[in-house]
């Protein structure tokens, strides 16, 4: 029960009921007489990220690339001070993703909805970890489009830090851009610009500065722990899935260097 609870933060009673229905269906398909933790874990992955793409055959080269990409996310996350623990890493394609790394958010953060500046900086570094791992291992010329969603997330977090959360050194504690739109109609809130061209240029500079800082921190972590990155990627190529306990064993048995504090 504890393991299921850790893997399902924010789930309602109805969500958990649906989850166990999915696990029961998987158990039936596998001709089992009872639901095991394997079925529950597979059902969680299915509910959160979509079904496995069994028909998508991956070449060895692509498998290795996805393994390094996900290992990059996981390793940066695991070695960041004050970040959510890694829950599971997988290179099994699901939905539109070639692989996925799950993190378990702390209950305090989930309940309060409050995130510190250092947490958001860590979040950006973790999101950039996949692309940076590709760069380090395969070279800049071989970087793929697999990081497009990660880059969008990084840009969104950095812009919110500057324009909504007052976390910019140059602009100070101000909110920029009047929010408009109705969330309940299923629309994203659009920001109406209420600042000058000069301020817009400063916002762009500050966003770029935050992203560059996160990039440098993530690259330092992966470059100084390249041996662990290689081991984790090999584990993923061999097993396709690495859980939290296996990652902790790898880190405990290796000489690792933690990330610098933002």
């Amino acid at each position: 029960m504890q393991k299921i609870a850790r893997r399902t933060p924010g789930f309602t009673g109805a969500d958990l009921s649906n989850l166990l229905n999915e696990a029961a269906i998987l158990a039936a398909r596998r001709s089992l007489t009872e639901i095991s933790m394997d079925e529950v874990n597979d059902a969680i992955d299915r509910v959160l990220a979509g079904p496995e793409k069994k028909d998508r055959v991956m070449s060895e080269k692509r498998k290795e690339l996805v393994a390094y990409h996900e290992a990059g996310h996981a390793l940066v996350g695991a070695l960041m001070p004050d970040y959510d623990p890694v829950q599971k890493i997988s290179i099994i394609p699901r939905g539109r993703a070639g692989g996925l790394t799950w993190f378990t958010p702390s209950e305090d953060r989930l309940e309060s909805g409050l995130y510190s500046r250092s947490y958001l900086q860590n979040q950006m570094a973790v999101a950039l970890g996949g692309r940076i791992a590709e760069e380090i291992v395969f070279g800049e010329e071989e970087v793929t489009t697999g990081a497009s969603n990660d880059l969008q997330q990084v840009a969104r977090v950095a812009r919110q830090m500057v324009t909504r959360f007052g976390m910019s050194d140059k602009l100070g504690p101000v909110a920029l851009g009047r929010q408009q739109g109705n969330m309940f109609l299923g629309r994203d809130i659009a920001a109406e610009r209420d600042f000058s061209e000069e301020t817009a240029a400063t916002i762009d500079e500050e966003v770029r500065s935050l992203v560059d800082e996160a990039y440098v921190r993530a690259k330092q972590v992966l470059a100084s722990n390249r041996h662990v990155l290689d081991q984790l990627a090999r584990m993923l190529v061999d097993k396709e899935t690495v859980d939290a306990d296996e990652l902790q064993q790898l880190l405990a048995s290796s000489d690792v260097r933690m990330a610098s504090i933002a």
Side-chain angles (χ1 to χ4, degrees), residues 55-131:
D55 56 342
R56 195 186 295 178
V57 179
M58 292 171 77
S59 66
E60 286 304 308
K61 167 78 174 170
R62 178 174 163 75
K63 203 172 184 181
E64 186 184 25
L65 193 138
V66 174
Y68 269 106
H69 185 100
E70 296 306 326
H73 285 310
L75 197 55
V76 174
L79 298 179
M80 279 289 158
D82 185 35
Y83 195 68
D84 303 328
V86 177
Q87 180 192 104
K88 184 178 177 181
I89 318 154
S90 170
I91 60 167
I92 299 169
R94 286 180 183 278
R96 296 172 63 185
L100 285 162
T101 300
W102 283 270
F103 292 89
T104 307
S106 75
E107 283 190 30
D108 289 346
R109 284 196 192 103
L110 208 62
E111 286 177 13
S112 69
L114 299 173
Y115 301 92
S116 66
R117 177 174 176 156
S118 65
Y119 178 87
L120 294 173
Q121 287 173 312
N122 290 344
Q123 190 178 46
M124 289 190 292
V126 171
L128 289 167
R131 180 192 171 93

Coordinates of all heavy atoms in Angstrom, one line a residue, residues 55-131:
D55 N 4.1 -2.0 -30.9 CA 4.4 -2.2 -32.3 C 5.6 -1.3 -32.7 O 6.0 -1.4 -33.9 CB 3.2 -1.8 -33.2 CG 2.6 -0.4 -32.9 OD1 3.0 0.1 -31.8 OD2 1.9 0.1 -33.7
R56 N 6.1 -0.5 -31.8 CA 7.2 0.4 -32.2 C 8.5 -0.3 -31.9 O 8.9 -0.4 -30.8 CB 7.1 1.7 -31.4 CG 8.0 2.8 -32.0 CD 8.0 4.1 -31.1 NE 6.8 4.7 -31.0 CZ 6.6 5.8 -30.3 NH1 7.6 6.3 -29.6 NH2 5.4 6.4 -30.2
V57 N 9.1 -0.8 -32.9 CA 10.4 -1.5 -32.8 C 11.5 -0.5 -32.8 O 11.6 0.4 -33.7 CB 10.6 -2.5 -33.9 CG1 11.9 -3.2 -33.8 CG2 9.5 -3.5 -34.0
M58 N 12.4 -0.5 -31.8 CA 13.5 0.4 -31.6 C 14.8 -0.2 -32.1 O 15.1 -1.3 -31.7 CB 13.6 0.9 -30.2 CG 12.4 1.8 -29.7 SD 12.5 2.1 -27.9 CE 13.8 3.4 -27.9
S59 N 15.5 0.5 -32.9 CA 16.8 0.0 -33.3 C 17.8 0.1 -32.1 O 17.5 0.9 -31.1 CB 17.4 0.9 -34.4 OG 17.6 2.2 -34.0
E60 N 18.9 -0.5 -32.1 CA 19.8 -0.5 -31.0 C 20.4 0.9 -30.8 O 20.5 1.4 -29.7 CB 21.0 -1.4 -31.2 CG 20.7 -2.9 -31.0 CD 20.1 -3.2 -29.7 OE1 20.7 -2.8 -28.6 OE2 19.0 -3.8 -29.6
K61 N 20.6 1.7 -31.9 CA 21.1 3.0 -31.8 C 20.0 3.9 -31.1 O 20.4 4.7 -30.2 CB 21.4 3.5 -33.2 CG 21.6 5.0 -33.4 CD 23.0 5.4 -32.9 CE 23.2 6.9 -33.2 NZ 24.4 7.4 -32.6
R62 N 18.8 3.8 -31.6 CA 17.7 4.6 -30.9 C 17.5 4.3 -29.5 O 17.3 5.1 -28.6 CB 16.4 4.4 -31.7 CG 15.3 5.2 -31.1 CD 14.0 5.2 -32.0 NE 12.8 5.6 -31.2 CZ 12.5 6.8 -30.9 NH1 13.3 7.8 -31.2 NH2 11.4 7.1 -30.2
K63 N 17.6 3.0 -29.2 CA 17.4 2.5 -27.8 C 18.5 3.1 -26.9 O 18.2 3.6 -25.8 CB 17.5 1.0 -27.8 CG 16.9 0.3 -26.6 CD 16.9 -1.2 -26.8 CE 16.1 -1.9 -25.7 NZ 16.1 -3.3 -25.8
E64 N 19.7 3.1 -27.4 CA 20.9 3.7 -26.6 C 20.7 5.2 -26.5 O 20.9 5.7 -25.4 CB 22.2 3.4 -27.4 CG 23.4 3.8 -26.6 CD 24.7 3.7 -27.3 OE1 24.7 3.7 -28.6 OE2 25.8 3.6 -26.7
L65 N 20.2 5.9 -27.5 CA 20.0 7.3 -27.4 C 18.9 7.7 -26.4 O 19.1 8.6 -25.6 CB 19.6 7.9 -28.8 CG 19.7 9.4 -28.9 CD1 20.3 9.8 -30.2 CD2 18.3 10.0 -28.8
V66 N 17.8 6.9 -26.4 CA 16.7 7.2 -25.5 C 17.2 6.9 -24.1 O 16.8 7.6 -23.1 CB 15.4 6.3 -25.8 CG1 14.4 6.5 -24.8 CG2 14.9 6.8 -27.2
A67 N 18.0 5.8 -23.9 CA 18.5 5.4 -22.6 C 19.3 6.5 -22.0 O 19.2 6.9 -20.8 CB 19.3 4.1 -22.7
Y68 N 20.2 7.1 -22.8 CA 21.1 8.2 -22.3 C 20.2 9.4 -22.0 O 20.5 10.2 -21.0 CB 22.2 8.6 -23.3 CG 23.4 7.8 -23.1 CD1 23.8 6.7 -23.9 CD2 24.3 8.1 -22.0 CE1 25.0 6.0 -23.7 CE2 25.4 7.4 -21.8 CZ 25.8 6.3 -22.6 OH 26.9 5.6 -22.4
H69 N 19.2 9.7 -22.9 CA 18.3 10.9 -22.7 C 17.6 10.8 -21.3 O 17.6 11.7 -20.5 CB 17.3 10.9 -23.8 CG 16.4 12.1 -23.7 ND1 16.6 13.3 -24.5 CD2 15.3 12.4 -23.0 CE1 15.7 14.2 -24.2 NE2 14.9 13.7 -23.3
E70 N 17.0 9.6 -21.0 CA 16.3 9.4 -19.8 C 17.2 9.3 -18.6 O 16.9 9.8 -17.5 CB 15.4 8.2 -19.8 CG 14.3 8.2 -20.9 CD 13.4 9.5 -20.7 OE1 13.2 9.9 -19.6 OE2 12.9 10.0 -21.8
A71 N 18.4 8.7 -18.8 CA 19.4 8.6 -17.7 C 19.9 10.0 -17.3 O 20.1 10.3 -16.2 CB 20.6 7.8 -18.1
G72 N 19.9 10.9 -18.4 CA 20.3 12.3 -18.1 C 19.3 13.0 -17.2 O 19.7 13.7 -16.2
H73 N 18.0 12.9 -17.5 CA 17.0 13.5 -16.6 C 17.1 12.9 -15.2 O 17.1 13.7 -14.2 CB 15.6 13.1 -17.2 CG 15.2 13.8 -18.4 ND1 15.2 15.2 -18.5 CD2 14.6 13.4 -19.5 CE1 14.7 15.6 -19.7 NE2 14.4 14.5 -20.3
A74 N 17.2 11.6 -15.1 CA 17.1 10.9 -13.8 C 18.4 11.3 -13.0 O 18.2 11.6 -11.8 CB 17.1 9.4 -14.0
L75 N 19.5 11.3 -13.6 CA 20.8 11.6 -12.8 C 20.8 13.0 -12.3 O 21.2 13.3 -11.2 CB 22.0 11.2 -13.7 CG 23.3 11.0 -12.9 CD1 23.2 10.0 -11.9 CD2 24.4 10.7 -13.9
V76 N 20.5 14.0 -13.2 CA 20.4 15.4 -12.7 C 19.4 15.5 -11.6 O 19.7 16.1 -10.6 CB 20.1 16.3 -13.9 CG1 19.9 17.7 -13.4 CG2 21.1 16.3 -15.0
G77 N 18.2 14.9 -11.7 CA 17.2 15.0 -10.7 C 17.7 14.4 -9.4 O 17.5 14.9 -8.3
A78 N 18.4 13.2 -9.5 CA 18.8 12.5 -8.3 C 19.9 13.2 -7.5 O 20.0 13.1 -6.3 CB 19.3 11.1 -8.6
L79 N 20.7 14.0 -8.3 CA 21.9 14.6 -7.6 C 21.6 16.1 -7.4 O 22.6 16.9 -7.0 CB 23.1 14.4 -8.5 CG 23.5 13.0 -8.7 CD1 24.7 12.8 -9.6 CD2 23.8 12.3 -7.3
M80 N 20.4 16.6 -7.6 CA 20.1 18.0 -7.3 C 19.7 18.1 -5.8 O 18.9 17.3 -5.3 CB 18.9 18.5 -8.1 CG 19.2 18.9 -9.5 SD 20.1 20.4 -9.5 CE 20.9 20.3 -11.1
P81 N 20.2 19.1 -5.1 CA 19.8 19.3 -3.7 C 18.3 19.8 -3.7 O 17.9 20.6 -4.5 CB 20.7 20.4 -3.2 CG 21.2 21.1 -4.4 CD 21.2 20.1 -5.5
D82 N 17.5 19.2 -2.8 CA 16.1 19.6 -2.6 C 15.3 19.5 -3.9 O 14.8 20.4 -4.4 CB 16.0 21.0 -2.1 CG 14.6 21.5 -1.8 OD1 13.8 20.6 -1.3 OD2 14.2 22.6 -2.1
Y83 N 15.3 18.2 -4.5 CA 14.4 18.0 -5.6 C 13.6 16.7 -5.4 O 14.0 15.9 -4.5 CB 15.2 17.9 -6.9 CG 14.3 18.0 -8.1 CD1 13.6 19.2 -8.4 CD2 14.0 16.9 -8.9 CE1 12.7 19.3 -9.4 CE2 13.2 17.0 -10.0 CZ 12.5 18.2 -10.3 OH 11.6 18.3 -11.3
D84 N 12.6 16.5 -6.1 CA 11.7 15.3 -5.9 C 12.5 14.0 -6.2 O 13.3 14.0 -7.2 CB 10.5 15.3 -6.9 CG 9.7 16.6 -6.7 OD1 9.6 17.1 -5.5 OD2 9.1 17.1 -7.7
P85 N 12.4 12.9 -5.5 CA 13.1 11.7 -5.7 C 12.6 11.0 -7.0 O 11.5 11.1 -7.4 CB 12.8 10.8 -4.5 CG 11.6 11.4 -3.8 CD 11.6 12.9 -4.2
V86 N 13.6 10.4 -7.7 CA 13.3 9.6 -8.9 C 12.5 8.4 -8.5 O 12.8 7.7 -7.6 CB 14.5 9.2 -9.6 CG1 14.2 8.3 -10.9 CG2 15.4 10.4 -10.1
Q87 N 11.4 8.1 -9.2 CA 10.5 7.0 -8.9 C 10.8 5.8 -9.8 O 10.8 4.7 -9.4 CB 9.1 7.5 -9.0 CG 8.0 6.6 -8.8 CD 6.7 7.2 -9.3 OE1 6.2 6.7 -10.3 NE2 6.1 8.1 -8.6
K88 N 11.0 6.2 -11.1 CA 11.1 5.1 -12.1 C 11.6 5.7 -13.4 O 11.3 6.8 -13.7 CB 9.7 4.4 -12.3 CG 9.8 3.2 -13.3 CD 8.4 2.7 -13.3 CE 8.3 1.5 -14.3 NZ 7.0 1.0 -14.4
I89 N 12.5 4.9 -14.1 CA 13.0 5.4 -15.4 C 12.7 4.3 -16.4 O 12.9 3.1 -16.1 CB 14.5 5.6 -15.4 CG1 15.0 6.3 -14.1 CG2 15.0 6.3 -16.6 CD1 16.4 6.0 -13.7
S90 N 12.1 4.6 -17.5 CA 11.7 3.6 -18.5 C 12.1 4.1 -19.9 O 11.9 5.3 -20.2 CB 10.2 3.3 -18.4 OG 9.8 2.5 -19.5
I91 N 12.5 3.2 -20.8 CA 12.7 3.5 -22.2 C 11.7 2.8 -23.1 O 11.9 2.6 -24.3 CB 14.2 3.2 -22.7 CG1 14.5 1.7 -22.5 CG2 15.2 4.1 -21.9 CD1 15.8 1.3 -23.3
I92 N 10.6 2.3 -22.4 CA 9.5 1.7 -23.2 C 8.6 2.8 -23.7 O 8.2 3.7 -23.0 CB 8.6 0.8 -22.3 CG1 9.5 -0.4 -21.7 CG2 7.4 0.2 -23.0 CD1 8.8 -1.1 -20.6
P93 N 8.5 2.9 -25.1 CA 7.7 4.0 -25.6 C 6.2 4.0 -25.1 O 5.6 2.9 -25.1 CB 7.7 3.7 -27.2 CG 8.8 2.7 -27.4 CD 8.9 2.0 -26.1
R94 N 5.7 5.1 -24.7 CA 4.3 5.3 -24.3 C 3.8 6.6 -24.9 O 4.4 7.6 -24.8 CB 4.2 5.3 -22.8 CG 4.4 4.0 -22.1 CD 4.3 4.2 -20.6 NE 4.6 2.9 -19.9 CZ 3.7 1.9 -19.8 NH1 2.5 2.1 -20.2 NH2 4.0 0.8 -19.2
G95 N 2.5 6.5 -25.4 CA 2.0 7.7 -26.0 C 2.9 8.3 -27.0 O 3.3 7.5 -27.9
R96 N 3.2 9.5 -26.9 CA 4.1 10.2 -27.9 C 5.6 10.2 -27.4 O 6.5 10.7 -28.1 CB 3.6 11.6 -28.2 CG 2.3 11.7 -28.8 CD 1.8 13.1 -28.9 NE 2.6 13.9 -29.7 CZ 2.4 15.2 -29.9 NH1 1.4 15.8 -29.3 NH2 3.2 15.9 -30.7
A97 N 5.8 9.6 -26.2 CA 7.2 9.7 -25.6 C 7.9 8.4 -25.9 O 7.4 7.3 -25.9 CB 7.0 9.8 -24.1
G98 N 9.2 8.6 -26.2 CA 10.1 7.4 -26.5 C 10.5 6.7 -25.2 O 10.8 5.6 -25.2
G99 N 10.5 7.5 -24.1 CA 10.8 7.0 -22.8 C 10.4 8.0 -21.8 O 10.0 9.1 -22.1
L100 N 10.4 7.6 -20.5 CA 9.9 8.5 -19.5 C 10.7 8.3 -18.2 O 11.1 7.2 -17.8 CB 8.4 8.2 -19.2 CG 7.4 8.7 -20.2 CD1 6.1 8.0 -20.0 CD2 7.2 10.2 -20.1
T101 N 10.8 9.4 -17.4 CA 11.4 9.4 -16.1 C 10.3 10.0 -15.1 O 9.9 11.1 -15.4 CB 12.7 10.2 -16.0 OG1 13.6 9.6 -16.9 CG2 13.3 10.2 -14.6
W102 N 9.9 9.2 -14.1 CA 8.9 9.7 -13.2 C 9.6 10.2 -11.9 O 10.5 9.5 -11.4 CB 7.9 8.6 -12.8 CG 6.9 8.3 -13.8 CD1 5.7 8.8 -14.0 CD2 7.0 7.3 -14.9 NE1 5.0 8.2 -15.0 CE2 5.7 7.3 -15.6 CE3 8.0 6.4 -15.3 CZ2 5.5 6.5 -16.7 CZ3 7.7 5.5 -16.4 CH2 6.5 5.6 -17.0
F103 N 9.1 11.3 -11.4 CA 9.6 11.8 -10.1 C 8.4 11.8 -9.1 O 7.2 12.0 -9.5 CB 10.1 13.2 -10.2 CG 11.4 13.3 -11.0 CD1 11.3 13.5 -12.4 CD2 12.6 13.2 -10.4 CE1 12.5 13.5 -13.2 CE2 13.8 13.3 -11.2 CZ 13.7 13.4 -12.5
T104 N 8.7 11.6 -7.8 CA 7.6 11.6 -6.8 C 7.6 12.9 -6.1 O 8.5 13.2 -5.3 CB 7.8 10.5 -5.8 OG1 8.0 9.2 -6.4 CG2 6.6 10.4 -4.8
P105 N 6.6 13.8 -6.4 CA 6.6 15.1 -5.7 C 6.3 14.9 -4.2 O 5.6 14.0 -3.8 CB 5.5 15.9 -6.4 CG 4.6 14.8 -7.0 CD 5.5 13.6 -7.3
S106 N 6.9 15.8 -3.3 CA 6.6 15.6 -1.9 C 5.2 16.1 -1.6 O 4.7 16.9 -2.3 CB 7.6 16.5 -1.1 OG 7.3 17.9 -1.2
E107 N 4.7 15.5 -0.6 CA 3.3 15.8 -0.2 C 3.1 17.2 0.2 O 2.1 17.9 -0.1 CB 2.8 14.9 1.0 CG 2.5 13.5 0.5 CD 1.8 12.6 1.6 OE1 1.1 13.2 2.4 OE2 2.0 11.4 1.6
D108 N 4.1 17.8 0.9 CA 4.1 19.2 1.3 C 3.9 20.1 0.1 O 3.1 21.0 0.1 CB 5.3 19.6 2.1 CG 5.4 19.0 3.4 OD1 4.3 18.5 3.9 OD2 6.4 19.0 4.1
R109 N 4.8 19.9 -1.0 CA 4.7 20.7 -2.2 C 3.4 20.5 -2.9 O 2.8 21.4 -3.4 CB 5.8 20.3 -3.1 CG 7.2 20.9 -2.7 CD 8.2 20.9 -3.8 NE 9.5 21.2 -3.3 CZ 10.4 20.2 -3.1 NH1 10.2 19.0 -3.4 NH2 11.6 20.6 -2.6
L110 N 2.9 19.2 -2.9 CA 1.7 18.9 -3.6 C 0.5 19.6 -3.0 O -0.4 20.1 -3.6 CB 1.5 17.4 -3.7 CG 0.7 16.8 -4.8 CD1 1.4 17.1 -6.1 CD2 0.5 15.3 -4.6
E111 N 0.5 19.5 -1.6 CA -0.7 20.1 -0.9 C -0.7 21.6 -0.9 O -1.7 22.3 -1.0 CB -0.7 19.6 0.5 CG -1.2 18.1 0.6 CD -1.1 17.6 2.1 OE1 -0.9 18.4 3.0 OE2 -1.2 16.4 2.2
S112 N 0.5 22.2 -0.7 CA 0.6 23.7 -0.6 C 0.6 24.3 -2.0 O 0.2 25.5 -2.1 CB 1.9 24.1 0.1 OG 3.0 23.8 -0.6
G113 N 1.1 23.6 -3.0 CA 1.3 24.2 -4.3 C 2.3 25.3 -4.4 O 2.4 26.2 -5.3
L114 N 3.2 25.3 -3.4 CA 4.2 26.4 -3.3 C 5.6 25.8 -3.7 O 6.0 24.8 -3.2 CB 4.3 26.9 -1.8 CG 3.0 27.6 -1.3 CD1 3.1 28.0 0.2 CD2 2.7 28.8 -2.1
Y115 N 6.3 26.5 -4.5 CA 7.6 26.1 -5.0 C 8.6 27.2 -4.8 O 8.4 28.3 -5.2 CB 7.5 25.7 -6.5 CG 6.5 24.6 -6.8 CD1 5.2 24.9 -7.1 CD2 6.9 23.3 -6.7 CE1 4.2 23.9 -7.3 CE2 5.9 22.3 -6.9 CZ 4.6 22.6 -7.2 OH 3.7 21.6 -7.4
S116 N 9.8 26.8 -4.3 CA 10.8 27.8 -4.1 C 11.6 28.1 -5.3 O 11.5 27.4 -6.3 CB 11.8 27.3 -3.0 OG 12.5 26.2 -3.6
R117 N 12.3 29.2 -5.3 CA 13.1 29.6 -6.5 C 14.1 28.5 -6.8 O 14.3 28.1 -7.9 CB 13.8 30.9 -6.2 CG 14.7 31.3 -7.3 CD 15.3 32.7 -7.1 NE 16.3 33.0 -8.2 CZ 16.6 34.3 -8.5 NH1 16.1 35.3 -7.9 NH2 17.5 34.5 -9.5
S118 N 14.8 27.9 -5.7 CA 15.8 26.9 -6.0 C 15.1 25.6 -6.6 O 15.7 25.0 -7.4 CB 16.5 26.6 -4.7 OG 15.6 26.0 -3.7
Y119 N 13.9 25.3 -6.1 CA 13.2 24.1 -6.7 C 13.0 24.3 -8.2 O 13.2 23.4 -9.0 CB 11.9 23.9 -6.0 CG 11.1 22.7 -6.5 CD1 11.3 21.4 -6.1 CD2 10.1 22.9 -7.5 CE1 10.6 20.4 -6.6 CE2 9.4 21.9 -8.1 CZ 9.7 20.6 -7.6 OH 9.0 19.5 -8.1
L120 N 12.5 25.5 -8.6 CA 12.2 25.8 -10.0 C 13.5 25.8 -10.8 O 13.5 25.3 -12.0 CB 11.5 27.2 -10.1 CG 10.1 27.2 -9.5 CD1 9.5 28.7 -9.6 CD2 9.1 26.3 -10.2
Q121 N 14.6 26.3 -10.2 CA 15.9 26.2 -10.9 C 16.3 24.8 -11.1 O 16.8 24.4 -12.2 CB 16.9 27.1 -10.2 CG 16.7 28.6 -10.3 CD 17.6 29.4 -9.4 OE1 17.8 29.0 -8.2 NE2 18.2 30.4 -10.0
N122 N 16.1 24.0 -10.1 CA 16.4 22.5 -10.2 C 15.5 21.9 -11.3 O 16.0 21.1 -12.1 CB 16.2 21.8 -8.9 CG 17.2 22.2 -7.8 OD1 18.2 22.8 -8.2 ND2 16.9 22.0 -6.6
Q123 N 14.3 22.3 -11.3 CA 13.3 21.7 -12.3 C 13.8 22.0 -13.7 O 13.7 21.1 -14.6 CB 11.9 22.3 -12.1 CG 10.8 21.6 -12.9 CD 9.5 22.2 -12.6 OE1 9.3 23.4 -12.5 NE2 8.5 21.3 -12.3
M124 N 14.3 23.2 -14.0 CA 14.8 23.5 -15.3 C 16.0 22.7 -15.7 O 16.2 22.2 -16.8 CB 15.1 25.0 -15.4 CG 13.8 25.9 -15.4 SD 14.2 27.6 -15.8 CE 15.1 28.1 -14.4
A125 N 16.9 22.5 -14.7 CA 18.1 21.8 -14.9 C 17.8 20.3 -15.2 O 18.4 19.7 -16.1 CB 19.0 21.8 -13.7
V126 N 16.8 19.7 -14.5 CA 16.4 18.3 -14.7 C 15.8 18.2 -16.1 O 16.1 17.2 -16.9 CB 15.4 17.9 -13.7 CG1 14.8 16.5 -14.0 CG2 16.1 17.8 -12.3
A127 N 15.0 19.1 -16.5 CA 14.4 19.1 -17.9 C 15.4 19.1 -19.0 O 15.3 18.5 -20.0 CB 13.3 20.2 -18.0
L128 N 16.5 19.9 -18.7 CA 17.6 20.0 -19.7 C 18.5 18.8 -19.7 O 19.3 18.6 -20.7 CB 18.4 21.3 -19.5 CG 17.7 22.6 -19.8 CD1 18.5 23.8 -19.2 CD2 17.5 22.8 -21.3
G129 N 18.4 18.0 -18.7 CA 19.4 16.9 -18.5 C 19.4 15.9 -19.7 O 20.4 15.4 -20.1
G130 N 18.2 15.6 -20.3 CA 18.1 14.7 -21.4 C 18.9 15.1 -22.6 O 19.7 14.4 -23.2
R131 N 18.6 16.4 -23.0 CA 19.3 16.9 -24.2 C 20.8 17.0 -23.9 O 21.6 16.7 -24.8 CB 18.7 18.3 -24.5 CG 19.4 19.0 -25.7 CD 19.0 20.4 -25.8 NE 19.8 21.1 -26.8 CZ 19.4 21.3 -28.0 NH1 18.2 20.8 -28.4 NH2 20.1 21.9 -28.9

